[in-house]
Amino acid sequence: MTRVVAVELRLVGLPLVRPFRTSFGEEREKECILVRVETDRAEGWGECVAGPRPDFSGEFNEAAWLALRDHLVPALLAAPDPRPEDVRSLGGVRGNRMAKAALEMALLDAELRAEGRSLAAFLGATKERVPCGVSVGIAGSLEELVEQVAGYLAEGYVRVKLKIEPGLDVERVRAVRGSFPDVPLSVDANAAYTLADAGVFEALDELGLLMIEQPLSHEDLVDHAELQRRLATPICLDESIRSAADARAAIALGACRIVNVKQGRVGGLLEAVRVHDVGRREGVPVWCGGMLETGIGRAANLALAALPGFTLPGDTSASGRYFAEDLTEPFVLGEGGTMAVPTGPGLGVEPRPERLAACTRRVERIPR
Ligand code: SMG
Ligand code: MG
């Protein structure tokens, strides 16, 4: 029996070491909500993957804050013995998956800490270290892009993903491929194209890419299936997959051959495991995506990436790829471009108090 005593919401901001540009805009800093759950047995932390604007998804920090403060947290505090698996349908709230995922993570962390059990063990991890890729934003020039990729490869990353947008695609990817002929390479369009741009993807199809991530609208599985029929390169879906049911539908339609799993996008770690299970059952490889998380969310991603169906390197880069100083002890890239999966109770990490204080913009504690 777990009694939740209070939930604390905290908005934090951390400068990024280099701006991260995608087809929908540029981030110069990481801003996100941290959730801290206090129970009668332990405390637990969660990180919300929403950002300041509703661009990657319809969720954004101010909206997620209200969803948590006014709906999800009150429902959690009113529940006599809330379980992490209840968060999905808490208070009858629909959608708001990123907000729910953060609350679920905090509750899971608290529960597992009280039991002395690691998140990785709880989720069913089978690996102690996971191979790591890096996602490279749209650079100011082709030369800059090649230089950035060279730098990441020198650090040891085992797969490189290039962000693309209309007009900054084939030529750039071809140049990177030309400079690094053997590197496992992929692209991510963040839904910036339509089927009318099929020619771009047919040209990319010649470059031996591992996958093409989310080329078309997040709402269009049928067009993705049409595009996939025309390409040898596997399509990977990200934004389109909000649940295990979405993954089943996309695979059944032939809209993708690979799935990017992000716990926040699908409403939590428990649903992320179900997406993984769908992939395994259907013979579709999955990998762990990233949302520029701080060490809190990164710990959760690494635990997830250690499950057996995660057979491709994730966007689980080291702290130093994002921040000069992370909120937690830094995650570092080790031997063979792999990173250690945390083994301590719960997430296995917590924010360093002085760093947390320096990054905090707003805190609200909601008592029972
Ligand atoms: O966490 O290293 C990371 C970023 C990985 O490219 C990444 N994420 O569409 O997959 C994606 C993007 C979404 C982030 S936009 C802020
Ligand atoms: Mg993506």
Side-chain angles (χ1 to χ4, degrees):
M1 171 114 185
T2 303
R3 196 180 135 88
V4 180
V5 179
V7 177
E8 188 184 79
L9 305 179
R10 178 186 297 262
L11 189 70
V12 296
L14 290 79
L16 291 171
V17 290
R18 79 162 36 126
F20 188 63
R21 180 173 154 201
T22 64
S23 59
F24 50 74
E26 187 177 84
E27 298 293 350
R28 292 184 166 270
E29 59 162 27
K30 168 71 185 173
E31 187 193 70
C32 66
I33 299 170
L34 298 181
V35 177
R36 190 172 64 87
V37 166
E38 292 171 33
T39 76
D40 52 355
R41 302 195 300 161
E43 68 165 25
W45 290 90
E47 176 172 338
C48 180
V49 302
R53 286 176 305 279
D55 43 24
F56 175 83
S57 95
E59 289 188 78
F60 61 105
N61 288 335
E62 293 306 322
W65 185 279
L66 294 184
L68 284 160
R69 189 193 69 186
D70 296 350
H71 300 282
L72 295 167
V73 171
L76 184 80
L77 293 171
D81 179 24
R83 320 282 317 139
E85 53 271 31
D86 300 334
V87 174
R88 246 168 97 76
S89 52
L90 202 58
V93 173
R94 291 212 180 150
N96 293 278
R97 290 180 170 83
M98 295 176 172
K100 286 176 180 173
L103 193 56
E104 187 205 76
M105 191 189 294
L107 205 54
L108 260 175
D109 185 34
E111 199 168 284
L112 292 168
R113 266 175 215 271
E115 291 170 14
R117 194 169 174 206
S118 75
L119 177 64
F122 169 79
L123 295 177
T126 55
K127 289 169 268 189
E128 287 173 9
R129 305 188 65 88
V130 296
C132 298
V134 62
S135 172
V136 185
I138 296 168
S141 69
L142 200 153
E143 295 68 35
E144 244 178 83
L145 175 63
V146 172
E147 196 183 303
Q148 282 182 27
V149 171
Y152 289 130
L153 290 173
E155 285 178 48
Y157 290 105
V158 298
R159 185 229 64 203
V160 174
K161 163 169 134 182
L162 306 177
K163 291 289 186 180
I164 56 168
E165 68 179 11
L168 295 174
D169 40 41
V170 181
E171 188 195 1
R172 289 199 170 192
V173 182
R174 199 177 276 141
V176 172
R177 178 44 95 213
S179 304
F180 312 100
D182 302 323
V183 165
L185 191 64
S186 68
V187 294
D188 185 357
N190 286 110
Y193 296 82
T194 71
L195 256 193
D197 303 306
V200 169
F201 298 104
E202 282 157 2
L204 292 174
D205 210 17
E206 304 296 310
L207 299 176
L209 302 179
L210 206 52
M211 71 189 89
I212 296 175
E213 183 174 338
Q214 197 68 46
L216 312 178
S217 166
H218 58 292
E219 293 181 330
D220 207 332
L221 291 182
V222 172
D223 279 358
H224 275 104
E226 170 62 30
L227 183 62
Q228 181 67 92
R229 277 192 288 276
R230 298 195 211 171
L231 301 176
T233 310
I235 289 179
C236 167
L237 289 177
D238 176 357
E239 286 93 319
S240 291
I241 308 297
R242 300 153 307 166
S243 61
D246 279 351
R248 271 174 44 222
I251 293 166
L253 274 169
C256 67
R257 293 185 191 149
I258 298 178
V259 174
N260 168 329
V261 182
K262 290 178 178 164
Q263 59 80 27
R265 195 194 65 226
V266 302
L269 287 157
L270 301 176
E271 185 71 3
V273 172
R274 288 188 283 267
V275 176
H276 157 273
D277 296 345
V278 168
R280 265 196 120 189
R281 210 158 45 229
E282 304 288 337
V284 168
V286 305
W287 57 279
C288 184
M291 293 292 284
L292 309 168
E293 285 90 345
T294 77
I296 298 294
R298 191 156 309 282
N301 285 348
L302 288 165
L304 187 62
L307 268 63
F310 285 77
T311 53
L312 293 165
D315 281 344
T316 45
S317 308
S319 294
R321 182 257 171 268
Y322 312 94
F323 314 112
E325 220 190 317
D326 206 334
L327 284 180
T328 60
E329 288 303 316
F331 283 91
V332 292
L333 199 63
E335 44 183 282
T338 64
M339 214 140 58
V341 177
T343 54
L347 291 169
V349 298
E350 54 266 303
R352 290 179 290 167
E354 71 298 345
R355 184 65 186 139
L356 185 65
C359 295
T360 296
R361 295 183 173 166
R362 191 202 307 164
V363 191
E364 191 168 340
R365 187 172 183 275
I366 306 154
R368 195 181 176 85

